Each structure stands twice: as C-alpha cells, then as structure tokens.
Amino acid sequence: MKNGAAWPNMAHRNPDPPMFYHDTGEPLCFAFLMLEGLSMLSLASATEPLRAANRLLGREAFRWDLCSIDGQPVMPSSGIPFPAIPVDQAIERNHALFICGGARVDPQDERPYLAALRRAAHRGRAIGALSTASYLLARAGLLDGYRCTIHWENRAAFEEDFPHLPITGTLYEIDRNRLTCSGGTASMDLMLHIIADLHGRDLANGVANQFHHARMRDAGENQQGGRAEQIGTLPGTMQMAIRLMQANIETPLQIERLAALTGVSERQMERNFRSFLGMTPARCYLSLRVERAREMLLYTEQPIIDIAVATGFASTSHFSKWVKEFYGIRPSEMREQARAARARSRRIA
C-alpha cells in the first residue's frame, strides 16, 4: 500500500521497521477513546487531516470512530458533548486505538481505560495517546521498551513516575505500533506523517495547506513549550548552564561548578544572567526547581516530602517557603486546588 515518497531525512538513517499501517490496506481505521475533559483541539487536529486527505484523494482512505467506555457521550473541555460508540465495538473494527487526554484522570477512575487499552493491545491493535493520555498507556504497561512523549508541562512528573521509559521531548513519537503525541496541533503533525508515509509528501502538504498549517513538523522536532523558546534565544553558554540546571534538579550544582562547566567565569555568568534574564544564576536555578515541583504537585500523587527531596530541598518547611514565594500558596494548598478542579470536572461530566 505504501506508494508515497519517504521523508527527506530517511536516506541518512537506518531503515525503520515496518509500521502497523503499512500492511492494513484501505481504509486505515482509527478509534479515538475519549476521556472526560479531553482536549478538543488535540482530537480535531488528529481527525481533520484524515477527512481532508479523503477529500483530496477522492476516496475513503481513512476512517475513524469516536468511542467511550460504555458508548455514552463524552464531555470535552469545551463543554460540547461528543456522541460515542462502545470502546469494544471500536476495537473490533479499527486498526488503532488512540486514547485522548486532557485533564488528569484520578487513579480510582483509571481501571476501565487501562483494561480497554490492554484488550486492544491483546487483539493486535496499534495503541496511541494524545497529550496527557500517555500516562494511561504507561500505567497499562504498554509503553515499556517504546520511545514515547507527552506534553512538556507533564514531562517532569511523567519521568518521575516512569523513570524506566525512554521519554523524549519531541512533538510526537511513532515507535512500531505505539504512537504518542504531545497534544494540540502536534496531533496534526503525527497524522500528516502517516499520510506522507502512505500517500506521499505532496498529499500531506496539500492537507496541511487546507488548515494553513504552514510547515509539517518532523517527528524529531522538540516541543517549544515552557522555557524552551526563551532559552533558545540566549547566548550559548547560558543555554548550556540552564540545561545543566535542568538536568541536576535533585542535587543542585554549585554556581561555581556551573561556570566552570560552561567555560566562563562566575562573575561573567552573573552578568549574563542579570543582563538577559534580570535575575542571578542562583535565582534562575531556584525557579527551575520550584517549577519542577509545581508540575509534580499537580500531576503526581507523590508525597510532598518526596517532591521536596526530588527538587533539591532539604526540608519540607524550606520547600514550602519557596513554593509560596513563587506561586503565592503552600504546596498542600496547590495540590488540594488541583484535586478540587478534577472533582469539579467529574461532577460536570
């Protein structure tokens, strides 16, 4: 079925193993298992390229279903309910099952989703995740040994929960029959990759143009979220210093050591950080540690003392002091607010 040109950089790489979609025939069928509070943008960015490809090809090369655990409508973050078919029906008639994330699912609500994902994998279906739903694939044990990605805001907590997984910071990952995506418009890039692989880059470009998606982003491109875009504009030695800070959160490096590793004097590093960021290197390092702590408070259930240790604080009182200084509330309050927000989402659904 593969009749299109390969991606330009493929000539410089070892041949990739065949993907699940190379041997399916037409139409290639996707099921999207929707979580309450899912991101409507992520879902639309995945399905709309398939619709546009069908229109440009003049035939049904792609087909998709929206499903839920029990076939009941699902309420996305937008508040507009989506009709759905039962997930087991969708598994039977589709080649791949994507789970579509948004708000984090509480552990007590995960079981039916984990069971559905495992059933689909047992039936030989490809398994995918959009945005934060990579968590559920990992909890189901379906990402072991596969490259995977997740939205940048959740990556630190994801790495803490699943340190054995090869987690990347890319827009999307397609590793054999596992597909993970950082969400938002990156879902479109993932589908454009599949369209290009099957039907050629000209068709994929045509689909992208339908949505004024100016450039198809390749799988290896990193997400430009959080601080990444700002860091990319800084001098090289500062970028190196910040990367070292990010890689040494639990056991922070001395500023003197950072300066030596980046090849500048401590005084020069101080001048650079004040000039470009308006803060000292020590303050920047502290902000990175507190930012990592916030992600873990919001997106994991790890005890607060464990989060304090994981972000380089010697005591919970010291940890609480700096979280409150940066965010205006104590760690316990931040966690309770996140839990309350999830509870409200469940009641609305």
Side-chain angles (χ1 to χ4, degrees):
M1 180 177 175
K2 185 176 178 180
N3 54 24
W7 286 73
N9 60 356
M10 290 298 180
H12 307 293
R13 298 171 55 188
N14 294 327
D16 287 329
M19 297 299 173
F20 78 94
Y21 51 80
H22 289 156
D23 302 317
T24 58
E26 290 188 359
L28 176 59
C29 303
F30 297 94
F32 294 94
L33 175 57
M34 301 180 292
L35 297 171
E36 296 290 347
L38 75 142
S39 166
M40 192 169 172
L41 176 60
S42 293
L43 178 60
S45 293
T47 57
E48 283 295 285
L50 306 179
R51 178 192 61 79
N54 286 344
R55 187 172 71 83
L56 294 176
L57 285 169
R59 65 180 189 274
E60 190 181 44
F62 300 96
R63 186 184 299 162
W64 60 95
D65 287 315
L66 304 183
C67 61
S68 63
I69 293 295
D70 55 6
Q72 294 300 306
V74 174
M75 188 75 74
S77 57
S78 65
I80 303 170
F82 284 172
I85 65 172
V87 65
D88 287 324
Q89 180 182 346
I91 290 171
E92 287 300 314
R93 68 189 206 185
N94 288 279
H95 300 110
L97 176 69
F98 274 85
I99 187 161
C100 307
R104 181 170 175 262
V105 180
D106 277 344
Q108 65 265 27
D109 299 326
E110 289 179 352
R111 184 173 296 179
Y113 297 100
L114 301 183
L117 290 167
R118 291 174 181 138
R119 287 197 301 274
H122 183 72
R123 294 299 303 271
R125 305 301 186 254
I127 306 295
L130 304 182
S131 191
T132 59
S134 296
Y135 260 106
L136 291 174
L137 265 64
R139 292 201 192 284
L142 298 177
L143 290 179
D144 293 355
Y146 292 88
R147 293 189 317 275
C148 58
T149 191
I150 196 168
H151 190 277
W152 61 266
E153 191 176 30
N154 303 89
R155 183 179 175 184
F158 194 48
E159 288 173 335
E160 287 287 333
D161 284 346
F162 305 101
H164 64 288
L165 294 181
I167 302 164
T168 74
T170 57
L171 291 167
Y172 61 92
E173 288 287 351
I174 303 176
D175 188 353
R176 293 157 287 165
N177 59 354
R178 295 291 184 269
L179 306 90
T180 52
C181 174
S182 58
T185 57
S187 302
M188 181 174 294
D189 295 291
L190 185 152
M191 290 302 178
L192 289 172
H193 179 113
I194 294 174
I195 292 167
D197 205 11
L198 289 173
H199 300 286
R201 197 174 180 95
D202 286 346
L203 176 66
N205 280 328
V207 171
N209 288 338
Q210 295 288 307
F211 304 103
H212 302 288
H213 195 64
R215 183 177 68 84
M216 291 170 51
R217 297 174 292 182
D218 291 336
E221 294 193 37
N222 286 322
Q223 301 173 45
Q224 293 299 307
R227 296 176 179 266
E229 193 167 352
Q230 181 187 20
I231 292 170
T233 66
L234 298 174
T237 56
M238 287 186 65
Q239 292 187 41
M240 187 185 305
I242 292 173
R243 299 298 181 201
L244 285 167
M245 292 175 184
Q246 292 172 323
N248 293 275
I249 293 291
E250 184 170 348
T251 307
L253 300 172
Q254 295 295 321
I255 299 303
E256 180 182 4
R257 176 63 174 158
L258 281 171
L261 289 171
T262 57
V264 298
S265 68
E266 193 173 347
R267 181 174 295 180
Q268 182 62 50
M269 175 177 281
E270 186 93 10
R271 282 199 298 266
N272 287 344
F273 271 78
R274 287 186 181 279
S275 176
F276 286 93
L277 295 179
M279 66 179 79
T280 65
R283 183 72 177 186
C284 178
Y285 208 163
L286 179 61
S287 72
L288 290 170
R289 291 162 55 204
V290 175
E291 185 177 276
R292 177 75 60 87
R294 173 185 174 274
E295 292 168 5
M296 294 174 68
L297 286 165
L298 295 180
Y299 301 115
T300 78
E301 289 298 326
Q302 290 191 35
I304 288 175
I305 180 61
D306 291 353
I307 295 175
V309 170
T311 51
F313 293 94
S315 67
T316 52
S317 59
H318 193 217
F319 173 60
S320 182
K321 169 184 180 294
W322 286 114
V323 170
K324 186 169 184 180
E325 175 162 325
F326 277 86
Y327 293 106
I329 57 175
R330 296 190 300 271
S332 58
E333 294 171 328
M334 183 179 291
R335 173 158 280 174
E336 285 306 312
Q337 286 182 8
R339 287 172 175 164
R342 292 196 296 272
R344 285 195 299 272
S345 296
R346 289 198 301 274
R347 286 197 298 272
I348 293 171

